[in-house]
């Protein structure tokens, strides 16, 4: 299922966040209003909607959550600016969100296991002297490596270089403009 409207809203908010137009708190509020049905980006996985949603929404939200420090209100400029690599990554995510392409990757939870630890997980880890935690962490790492091998991960969320180039050639932000001059 592709939800073009919510993809475009998420792309818009990501663009504003990544270029320092809005703060992380403003980003979260906008996403809660327009994309996650009232859930914070880092808590969206708990919602009923996330299980039947456009499958790219949740992983993009999880990647976006790693862009900023959610313990303070700030914009991504100055000492909090994204790296050149980070800017290119976000631009590719936005390009995908502007597409009508299906998201073909298997979902892998990339957050650190401790972030989503339940009380039961804490007890199991204590009782197993940390073995439960190590198993969860290893399982996540193995799932991530399997996922990366299922496509050309350099172009994620696009599955292949050809998918990326096809969307790049559409130039979604330049539609209706005249041919570029050099």
């Amino acid at each position: 299922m592709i939800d073009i409207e919510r993809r475009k809203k998420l792309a818009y908010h990501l663009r504003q966040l990544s270029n320092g137009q809005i703060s992380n708190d403003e980003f979260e509020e906008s996403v809660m209003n327009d994309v996650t049905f009232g859930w914070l980006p880092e808590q969206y996985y708990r919602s009923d909607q996330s299980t039947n949603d456009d499958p790219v929404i949740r992983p993009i939200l999880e990647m976006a959550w790693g862009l900023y420090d959610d313990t303070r209100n700030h914009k991504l400029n100055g000492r909090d600016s994204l790296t050149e690599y980070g800017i290119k990554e976000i631009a590719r995510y936005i390009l995908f969100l502007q597409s009508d392409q299906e998201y073909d990757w298997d979902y892998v939870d990339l957050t650190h296991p401790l972030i989503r630890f339940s009380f039961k997980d804490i007890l199991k880890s204590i009782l197993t002297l940390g073995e439960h935690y190590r198993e969860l962490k290893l399982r996540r790492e193995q799932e991530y490596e399997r996922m990366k091998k299922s496509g050309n991960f350099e172009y994620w969320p696009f599955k292949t270089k050809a998918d990326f180039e096809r969307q790049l050639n559409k130039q979604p932000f330049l539609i209706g403009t005249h041919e570029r001059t050099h």
Side-chain angles (χ1 to χ4, degrees):
M1 173 184 109
I2 297 172
D3 188 332
I4 296 291
E5 183 180 331
R6 285 179 47 245
R7 278 187 180 193
K8 288 188 181 204
K9 288 177 180 178
L10 180 53
Y12 175 75
H13 299 313
L14 262 177
R15 188 170 183 210
Q16 287 191 308
L17 174 71
S18 65
N19 67 23
Q21 287 181 322
I22 62 173
S23 71
N24 58 319
D25 287 350
E26 291 167 319
F27 170 76
E28 287 186 348
E29 185 174 325
S30 297
V31 166
M32 288 171 55
N33 290 334
D34 293 343
V35 181
T36 62
F37 309 101
W39 291 85
L40 284 166
E42 69 269 21
Q43 295 176 351
Y44 183 58
Y45 73 95
R46 294 179 180 174
S47 75
D48 292 336
Q49 293 94 338
S50 74
T51 56
N52 298 317
D53 199 1
D54 183 333
V56 76
I57 300 288
R58 183 173 168 191
I60 295 272
L61 286 170
E62 290 171 355
M63 295 296 265
W65 185 43
L67 295 174
Y68 54 87
D69 176 355
D70 67 353
T71 64
R72 63 188 174 87
N73 186 30
H74 63 95
K75 292 183 177 183
L76 297 180
N77 50 31
R79 67 183 172 99
D80 295 313
S81 292
L82 294 174
T83 64
E84 188 175 321
Y85 174 79
I87 291 168
K88 287 180 181 178
E89 291 288 302
I90 296 302
R92 196 173 56 253
Y93 305 164
I94 291 169
L95 185 66
F96 186 87
L97 290 168
Q98 293 289 338
S99 80
D100 59 359
Q101 292 186 29
E102 292 282 346
Y103 179 73
D104 293 328
W105 295 89
D106 289 336
Y107 175 76
V108 174
D109 187 349
L110 299 177
T111 57
H112 194 281
L114 287 178
I115 290 174
R116 300 222 173 120
F117 247 35
S118 66
F119 183 69
K120 184 178 173 182
D121 287 322
I122 292 170
L123 282 177
K124 281 183 175 180
S125 291
I126 291 169
L127 293 173
T128 62
L129 303 175
E131 188 60 32
H132 176 68
Y133 163 74
R134 286 188 292 279
E135 286 175 8
L136 283 177
K137 188 172 182 237
L138 179 62
R139 193 174 328 130
R140 282 229 176 115
E141 290 167 358
Q142 290 169 340
E143 287 173 0
Y144 178 60
E145 288 305 313
R146 269 194 305 278
M147 182 201 68
K148 283 179 20 181
K149 291 177 183 174
S150 71
N152 191 337
F153 195 69
E154 181 180 347
Y155 296 95
W156 187 92
F158 295 94
K159 191 76 171 203
T160 66
K161 182 179 180 180
D163 291 341
F164 169 72
E165 289 176 344
R166 187 170 37 258
Q167 184 62 22
L168 192 59
N169 288 332
K170 288 183 179 179
Q171 301 180 26
F173 299 109
L174 300 176
I175 292 174
T177 61
H178 296 286
E179 187 176 317
R180 287 190 271 176
T181 58
H182 298 286

